Structure formats: structure tokens, C-alpha cells
């Protein structure tokens, strides 16, 4: 991996970049500059774009919505100060999750495979959020507990490489600065791990969970990977020891009983993730059917079976299973989305449309429902309506590359060619491909021609993206 070579010197350029100029004190020596909260935010976004350009991601709206909603809920009761978060769902079955400075939360598909309950899933994220709120990344660097710019750049590079699957070798590759290595050590020191467990457990309880989920997950991970020569990355950086389990068990037992351990929603989302990593829909269907044979009342297995059947084009069987689930819970979003999926796959567009409208009347702000509405309008050759629906979605998800991708596609179909290039530019910028982003705005400008207000708006946006590109280039040099 050659794309990340942050050095101390190049960050001087970063500080001089116009994007950062506004909120910076004048600094003589860039290498001693302390990262301001606004800089931390911007650096985080820039690195997120880089990470997106390097790793395969999961773009299932239901999965994204679940992760975002559940993490924001945990953040509410946490000590995290800057709550402007951005998320990345990494398409890897390996157990991992991280919360990085700048408010980037990364979750691997593998977290869902390993965490058997919502409580266990929340334990891992509460622990990661505690690293963030306790500033374990920065501690010891400055009394103010703020990082220096080069430190933060190097640290994020380390996280990016680890998340991209580069593992230790990747971190070694950028450890020319050594800052990343130092920071990783600091973050994963025994003391910091203990603190993250302690703060994480308190937060779990405050957020309404049963904190016993944390030791329970540790115990199972320890059993599961005890004899594994190659444990997952998360366990390399978070070794589960007997004393850690005993510590967290003691703390968790002090909590009142009655906290939330699991939820149907988590299990349904988990079934979706399991299906992603199944070799084929047929194998998935077989596994879910076996669970259902054991217990015919297992709604989670029935849902898993239904979505595996949709994926495998066994539409009649899927319809029968969804009918049973919807009879029990007619207003459940997940079940209704599966039915909409099925109706769409079998070209029953008016049924699907009616169901989307009915559900949106109850949950107007729901992201997966709004996205499926757009997809459905497109399938029915109504790109103008789809475009309008997307404008609405952009109000809340203007930093989501998946939404911009959909906007570009839709504008193309509705003949809005300038808008198409603008949307592509936003998409490419969010996934770290600035060259293409800037080129798309060239195309847009050419089309805008003599429409001066429009072309000057495009021009201004292009300059912003050029500045961002320069900033990222400087970080990577
Ligand atoms: Zn940790």
C-alpha cells in the first residue's frame, strides 16, 4: 500500500491550505500546532474519503440506518463532546470496529457476525466511543489533551490501514513517522483498555443496556478464538484476558438488573449481514430453514429465510414466509421493506408503491423507506418524481456517497445533465477521487455556458474541491 505517506513536513502545507485558514491561530511552526476541534473535524472527513477510496463498503440502507441510529443513541449518554459523526461500514467478515478522532465511526460486517445480541454489539461500540471521549489518542501529547496535526494525520493513517486490512505490516509501512506506532501503543495500553471498559460499561447502563453484555461477549470471544493462530485484528489490539473478563464482570454486576439485552431489530439486521457473507442465497436459506425447523416460531430465522429466498428468486416461498411475519406485525419496517423488495422483484410495482406510501405516512423521516421509494419510482420510469424525492433525502444525508450516486443516476435519467455532473462531483469527492470530481465540474461548467450565476456557483464549488484535494495530497506526501 503506497497511498499513505504522511510526514511531519508536509503538514505545514495543510495548515496553510485555505480550508483551514479561518479558524487557525497564526502559527510559526506547523509541527508544533495543536489540532483545533474544527481541524480535527476536517482532517477526519478527509481521511474518511481516503478510507472510502481504499476499502469495500456495505451500502445497505437498513444496515447503515441501524448503525447510525444505535451509535447516536450511545453517544447521547457518552462523554463524547463533538457529536458530528460520520460512518463507514466496512465489507469484511472480520471482527472490528473503531471510533477515530474527527468523529469517524467504522464498523465491520464482522461485528454483527460475532456479536450475538444487541447488548454485545453495543458493548464494543461503547468501548470504542470511550477511547474517543477519553482522548486516548491524544493523551500524553499535550496537557490540553489535543493532538498535534502530524500526530493526528499519522494516527488516522494507521487506523485507515488497519481498517483496510493492512494489519501490522500496514502500520509498519507508515511508521516512518513513528507517531502512528506510538499512538497505537498508547491507545491500546492496558490502562487505556481498562478505562475504555470502565467508561464503556457506565455508558451502556446509562443508554439502557444491561452492561453484563460486555463480559459475556468477552467470555465468548475468548472461548471462540482461544486456539486460533490468527485471531481477528480487534482481538490483537484488544486482548481478552481472564483478568479483563473478571474486571468487567465485577463492574457489570453492580448495575441494576433489567437493562436491555437484545432486540428483534438487531437480530433482523444481523440476519441481513449473515446473508451477505453466506456463499450463496441457497446455503443461507438452508441454514435459516434448519433453525426454523427446530423452532417454527423463530421469526428471525423466518425473516432470514424469506430474504434468502428473494435473493435466490424463490419468490413464492418468500411470499408465504413474509405473509406470516406481516400477519404478526403489520407495521414493522423491516418486514414491510422485505415485502416491497419482493413485490419489486416480481414487477408488482403498484403494490410496492402503495406499501411504501403507507409506511412513509407512519415513518416520514426513515432513510431506508425514502431510498426504496426513489428506487421504485425509477423502476416505474418516473425519474422526475425520483429526483424530487432525492432532494428531500439530501437534506439529511448530504455527506452520503451512496445518496449522491443515486442522485447522479436519477438526474441522468431525467435529462438534468448539469445536475448529473454536479452530483457525480460530490460522489467522487466523498470517495476521495478528487481528480474525477473536478473534471465532472468542468463538464458541468461547459454545459452551463452563459448562465453566469450557475457557472460561478459551479466554479466556487470546484475551487473548494481543489483546495480539499491539495490538503489530502499534502497529507499523503
Ligand atoms: Zn480498546
Amino acid at each position: 500500500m503506497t497511498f499513505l505517506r504522511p510526514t511531519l513536513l508536509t503538514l505545514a502545507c495543510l495548515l496553510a491550505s485555505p480550508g483551514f485558514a479561518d479558524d487557525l491561530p497564526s502559527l510559526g511552526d506547523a509541527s508544533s500546532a495543536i489540532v483545533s476541534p474544527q481541524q480535527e473535524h476536517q482532517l477526519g472527513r478527509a481521511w474518511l474519503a481516503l478510507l472510502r477510496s481504499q476499502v469495500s463498503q456495505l451500502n445497505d440502507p437498513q444496515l447503515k440506518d441501524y448503525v447510525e441510529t444505535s451509535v447516536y443513541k450511545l453517544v447521547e449518554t457518552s462523554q463524547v463532546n463533538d457529536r458530528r459523526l460520520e460512518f463507514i461500514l466496512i465489507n469484511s467478515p472480520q471482527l472490528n470496529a473503531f471510533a477515530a478522532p474527527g468523529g469517524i465511526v467504522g464498523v465491520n460486517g464482522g461485528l454483527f457476525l460475532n456479536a450475538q445480541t444487541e447488548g454485545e454489539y453495543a458493548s464494543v461500540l461503547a468501548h470504542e466511543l470511550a477511547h474517543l471521549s477519553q482522548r486516548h489518542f491524544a493523551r500524553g501529547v499535550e496537557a490540553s489533551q489535543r493532538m498535534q496535526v502530524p500526530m493526528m494525520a499519522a494516527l488516522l493513517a494507521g487506523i485507515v490501514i488497519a481498517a483496510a486490512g493492512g494489519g501490522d505490516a500496514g502500520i509498519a509501512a507508515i511508521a516512518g513517522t513513528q507517531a502512528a506506532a506510538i499512538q497505537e501503543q498508547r491507545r491500546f495500553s492496558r490502562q487505556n483498555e481498562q478505562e475504555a471498559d470502565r467508561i464503556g460499561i457506565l455508558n451502556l447502563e446509562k443508554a439502557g443496556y444491561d452492561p453484563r453484555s460486555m463480559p459475556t461477549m468477552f467470555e465468548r470471544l475468548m472461548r471462540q478464538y482461544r486456539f486460533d493462530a490468527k485471531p481477528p485484528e480487534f482481538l490483537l489490539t484488544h486482548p481478552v484476558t481472564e483478568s479483563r473478563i473478571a474486571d468487567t464482570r465485577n463492574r457489570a454486576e453492580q448495575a441494576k438488573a433489567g437493562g436491555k439485552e437484545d432486540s428483534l431489530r438487531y437480530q433482523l439486521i444481523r440476519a441481513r449481514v449473515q446473508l451477505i457473507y453466506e456463499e450463496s442465497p441457497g446455503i443461507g436459506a438452508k441454514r435459516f430453514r434448519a433453525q426454523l425447523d427446530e423452532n417454527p416460531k423463530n421469526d428471525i430465522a423466518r425473516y432470514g429465510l424469506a430474504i434468502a429466498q428473494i435473493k435466490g428468486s424463490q419468490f413464492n416461498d418468500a411470499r408465504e414466509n413474509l405473509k406470516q411475519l406481516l400477519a404478526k406485525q403489520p407495521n414493522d419496517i423491516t418486514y414491510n421493506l422485505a415485502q416491497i423488495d419482493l413485490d419489486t422483484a416480481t414487477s408488482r410495482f403498484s403494490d410496492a408503491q402503495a406499501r411504501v406510501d403507507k409506511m412513509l405516512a407512519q415513518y416520514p423521516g426513515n432513510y431506508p423507506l425514502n431510498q426504496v421509494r426513489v428506487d421504485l419510482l425509477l423502476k416505474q420510469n418516473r425519474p422526475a418524481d425520483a429526483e424530487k424525492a432525492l432532494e428531500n433525502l439530501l437534506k439529511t444525508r448530504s455527506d452520503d456517497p451512496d445518496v449522491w450516486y443515486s442522485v447522479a443516476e436519477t438526474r441522468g435519467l431525467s435529462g438534468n445533465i448539469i445536475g448529473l455532473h454536479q452530483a457525480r462531483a460530490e460522489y467522487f469527492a466523498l470517495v476521495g477521487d478528487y481528480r474525477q470530481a473536478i473534471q465532472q465540474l468542468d463538464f458541468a461548467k461547459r454545459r452551463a455556458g452563459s448562465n453566469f450565476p450557475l457557472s460561478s456557483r459551479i466554479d466556487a464549488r470546484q475551487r473548494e474541491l481543489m483546495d480539499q484535494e491539495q490538503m489530502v495530497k499534502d497529507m499523503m506526501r
Side-chain angles (χ1 to χ4, degrees), residues 127-128 131 188 193 238:
H127 172 103
E128 289 302 310
H131 278 308
F188 299 122
E193 285 311 313
H238 292 79

Side-chain angles (χ1 to χ4, degrees), residues 226-237:
R226 180 171 269 161
F227 303 111
D228 208 324
K230 263 195 95 182
E233 174 77 23
F234 189 79
L235 292 187
L236 290 175
T237 51

Side-chain angles (χ1 to χ4, degrees), residues 8 141 147-156 179-180 182-183 186:
L8 301 182
V141 176
M147 240 179 296
Q148 294 176 342
V149 174
M151 279 281 193
M152 167 133 176
L155 161 77
L156 285 170
I182 294 164
Q183 288 301 318
R186 206 168 262 143

